[in-house]
């Protein structure tokens, strides 16, 4: 078990480009979460999946953001037409799916939009 | 509304001093869960503790201890005999029983000087 893996670790993109991040959760975890963290702030919830079903989405997740977990294993987060305000650390976490869960976080993908 | 407040933005102590990080939360739910995470410079959030709202017993784990008081809606974290390796940003988080998302405070940056 190598923990929660996120790729890439860093991404620099030009404004207006699309970017996609990948998260591989701990293998036996059936819940997967995406958070966004800006400098000096705590992580903010974006969305979560139970298996392949996306069960909750934050209002922060605008139309330009989409997340998928097609086979209930890895997940992707895509941002279309990136804006400078999208620059942040994008964190993925997973949990077993118990009523009272502990969450394991990955090291994040740092996005810089120039 | 649910909210977590960490009023201390940054704390600086000398090694071996004791330090307490404050966390105040707001929720109308009667069942909820409180967490503390450590975020070292590498960026990964490291789980420290989870507490259920119906269990106000304080907990000690080595040099770490937590004081949960429902009467003041606080869940404070104390590090005894701090060490340089304790330097990190510490986040308090809240989860309601009706949702699996975590609501984080803005974090407290702890600097332990040798």
């Amino acid at each position: 078990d190598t923990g929660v893996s996120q790729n890439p670790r860093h991404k620099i993109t030009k404004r207006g480009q699309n970017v996609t991040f990948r998260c591989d959760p701990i293998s036996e975890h059936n819940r997967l979460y995406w958070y966004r963290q800006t400098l000096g702030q705590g992580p903010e919830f974006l969305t979560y999946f139970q298996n392949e079903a996306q069960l909750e989405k934050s209002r922060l997740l605008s139309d330009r953001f989409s997340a998928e977990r097609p086979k209930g294993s890895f997940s992707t987060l895509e941002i279309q037409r990136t804006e400078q305000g999208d620059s942040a650390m994008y964190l993925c976490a997973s949990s077993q799916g118990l009523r009272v869960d502990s969450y394991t976080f990955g090291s994040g993908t740092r996005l810089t939009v120039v | 509304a649910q909210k977590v407040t960490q009023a201390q933005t940054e704390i600086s102590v000398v090694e071996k001093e004791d330090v307490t990080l404050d966390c105040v939360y707001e929720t109308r739910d009667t069942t909820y869960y409180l967490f503390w995470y450590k975020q070292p410079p590498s960026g990964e959030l490291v789980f420290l503790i989870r507490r259920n709202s119906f269990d106000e017993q304080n907990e000690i784990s080595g040099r770490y201890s937590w004081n949960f008081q429902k009467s003041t809606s606080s869940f404070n974290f104390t590090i005894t005999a701090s060490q340089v390796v304790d330097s990190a940003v510490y986040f308090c988080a809240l989860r309601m029983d009706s949702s699996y998302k975590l609501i984080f405070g803005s974090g407290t940056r702890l600097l332990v000087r040798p």
Side-chain angles (χ1 to χ4, degrees), chain B residues 16-67:
Chain B
K16 298 184 183 176
E17 284 185 19
D18 298 348
V19 58
T20 295
L21 310 182
D22 297 335
C23 173
V24 174
Y25 62 92
E26 295 176 32
T27 180
R28 292 181 187 172
D29 287 28
T30 54
T31 302
Y32 52 89
Y33 309 92
L34 295 163
F35 298 76
W36 275 95
Y37 280 87
K38 175 181 180 179
Q39 189 174 43
S42 60
E44 185 171 333
L45 284 162
V46 178
F47 169 77
L48 296 178
I49 191 171
R50 180 191 65 231
R51 215 81 188 117
N52 308 328
S53 58
F54 42 86
D55 181 3
E56 284 193 72
Q57 191 172 15
N58 291 329
E59 184 156 338
I60 298 175
S61 176
R63 297 183 297 106
Y64 295 170
S65 63
W66 291 270
N67 184 349

Side-chain angles (χ1 to χ4, degrees), chain A residues 9 31 33 35 37 40-45 48 50 56 89 91 98-107, chain B residues 31 33 35 37 39 42-47 50 52 91 95 97-107:
Chain A
R9 288 298 310 274
R31 290 202 191 111
Y33 311 80
Y35 287 81
Q37 185 178 19
Q41 299 299 316
E44 295 174 294
F45 171 79
Y48 97 88
Q50 178 144 334
E56 191 171 350
M89 176 77 87
L91 293 165
L98 306 174
R99 178 166 174 242
V100 183
D101 257 341
S102 292
Y103 304 77
T104 303
F105 282 81
S107 298
Chain B
T31 302
Y33 309 92
F35 298 76
Y37 280 87
Q39 189 174 43
S42 60
E44 185 171 333
L45 284 162
V46 178
F47 169 77
R50 180 191 65 231
N52 308 328
F91 291 98
R95 195 211 115 190
D97 197 40
S98 55
S99 169
Y100 290 100
K101 70 180 181 187
L102 294 176
I103 299 167
F104 284 86
S106 56

